[in-house]
Amino acid sequence: MPDNAGYMFAAYIAAAVIFGGYVIALIMRARTMTRRGDAIDTVTRP
Amino acid sequence: MPIFDWLLAVAVVALAAVMARAIWFTPPEALQGEAQKIFYLHVPSAVVGLYLACPLVAIGGAMYLWLRDDRLDRLAESSAEVALVFLSIVLVTGPLWGKPIWGTWWTWDARLTSTLFLWFILLGYTVLRGAIEDRQQRARYSAVLGILASLLVPFIHLSVRLFRTMHPQPIVLAPEKPKLSAEMGLTLSLAFIAFTLLFIALLRGRLKYAALRDRVEALEAGDA
């Protein structure tokens, strides 16, 4: 049997990085948007 | 308001458990060795990206063109972005599997090339959305592009039958042999469940983000 486990681990790590990166990016985008919304609330509140 | 909830946690735990089963508790294929276990990432990502996410892009877009409901535009937009993530996994794990088995990272055969084209079209879709300021025009144009992009999916599916390619024919649901062993089949089934859960969790999160963004943009427009 060929010794190629390195490719398998590289694929699993790459998938974790892509999924994890997307989740973190989406959380950051939502935080930025929430801050923008809060800023408008602060300005418009009497 | 957090955009991710318990479902993402469940999906991540399920995915980690399935990956651990695939790596340490599922036997490798005799000829391909451990690299064959990329199968449990590559195939479910492709199935979820091509057969769940892309149809939702087309359905959301078509329904938007009919009903002009912003929620449908958000469904199409969110599905396209999540499809892009899953297809990225496919396009990264494919070459990592191809190198040890085929002896090359990439070959311009019909299956690989058409999947890459779909990835570029979905990338163009997200760029297009960022480039158009008028919300209705953005939704209309991207709906058309999303429907056209999804037309590639049947072509990608049939490409291994229509053309001579290095990419293998479907083996899981094929009536002829070779069949997967029971252990491999169970791991693959669990991987399908885990990837589907992850897709639903990511799509829900992306939909919540899109709704939040639209609310803030409406506030800003009213504020100006």
Side-chain angles (χ1 to χ4, degrees):
Chain A
M1 192 181 298
D3 177 21
N4 52 25
Y7 290 99
M8 175 192 71
F9 285 116
Y12 280 78
I13 290 167
V17 167
I18 291 171
F19 280 133
Y22 180 65
V23 168
I24 291 167
L26 205 47
I27 290 171
M28 302 294 281
R29 285 156 74 189
R31 278 191 185 164
T32 305
M33 206 49 72
T34 304
R35 274 200 290 273
R36 268 170 65 177
D38 289 347
I40 297 166
D41 276 348
T42 309
V43 170
T44 54
R45 193 172 296 148
Chain B
M1 179 187 71
I3 56 168
F4 290 116
D5 51 18
W6 57 270
L7 187 61
L8 182 67
V10 171
V12 169
V13 170
L15 203 59
V18 170
M19 295 306 114
R21 179 185 159 87
I23 294 173
W24 290 294
F25 301 104
T26 305
E29 200 270 337
L31 294 176
Q32 296 190 24
E34 297 287 334
Q36 178 269 334
K37 293 180 178 179
I38 295 171
F39 175 70
Y40 305 110
L41 274 180
H42 183 79
V43 175
S45 299
V47 169
V48 169
L50 290 173
Y51 306 128
L52 272 180
C54 285
L56 281 178
V57 179
I59 292 167
M63 295 290 282
Y64 173 80
L65 291 176
W66 181 27
L67 300 171
R68 305 287 162 158
D69 187 330
D70 286 341
R71 288 173 299 181
L72 293 164
D73 177 50
R74 288 199 289 266
L75 173 67
E77 167 201 7
S78 303
S79 302
E81 196 173 286
V82 177
L84 197 57
V85 173
F86 278 86
L87 291 181
S88 300
I89 302 284
V90 175
L91 289 170
V92 168
T93 56
L96 282 166
W97 192 4
K99 178 64 179 168
I101 305 305
W102 294 344
T104 181
W105 295 103
W106 184 263
T107 174
W108 294 101
D109 84 357
R111 171 63 69 89
L112 278 68
T113 308
S114 52
T115 306
L116 183 65
F117 279 3
L118 178 60
W119 188 87
F120 274 122
I121 294 173
L122 289 173
L123 187 66
Y125 177 101
T126 59
V127 172
L128 175 80
R129 291 193 67 92
I132 302 174
E133 290 210 0
D134 182 79
R135 185 189 286 190
Q136 290 184 349
Q137 193 180 40
R138 178 174 61 205
R140 232 176 25 250
Y141 286 4
S142 56
V144 173
L145 184 59
I147 293 166
L148 292 175
S150 301
L151 291 179
L152 261 179
V153 173
F155 176 78
I156 293 170
H157 179 80
L158 293 172
S159 59
V160 288
R161 297 192 188 278
L162 295 174
F163 301 94
R164 191 181 298 170
T165 73
M166 283 180 76
H167 195 280
Q169 299 268 334
I171 59 162
V172 179
L173 297 176
E176 317 89 25
K177 290 186 173 181
K179 288 279 187 191
L180 284 180
S181 74
E183 278 175 302
M184 289 177 174
L186 179 60
T187 304
L188 183 65
S189 303
L190 294 171
F192 276 128
I193 294 169
F195 274 87
T196 305
L197 279 177
L198 185 66
F199 168 71
I200 295 168
L202 291 179
L203 183 64
R204 268 165 49 123
R206 183 58 178 76
L207 282 167
K208 283 184 190 170
Y209 165 74
L212 171 68
R213 181 207 55 209
D214 284 357
R215 264 202 310 278
V216 170
E217 285 180 356
L219 275 173
E220 285 174 343
D223 194 39

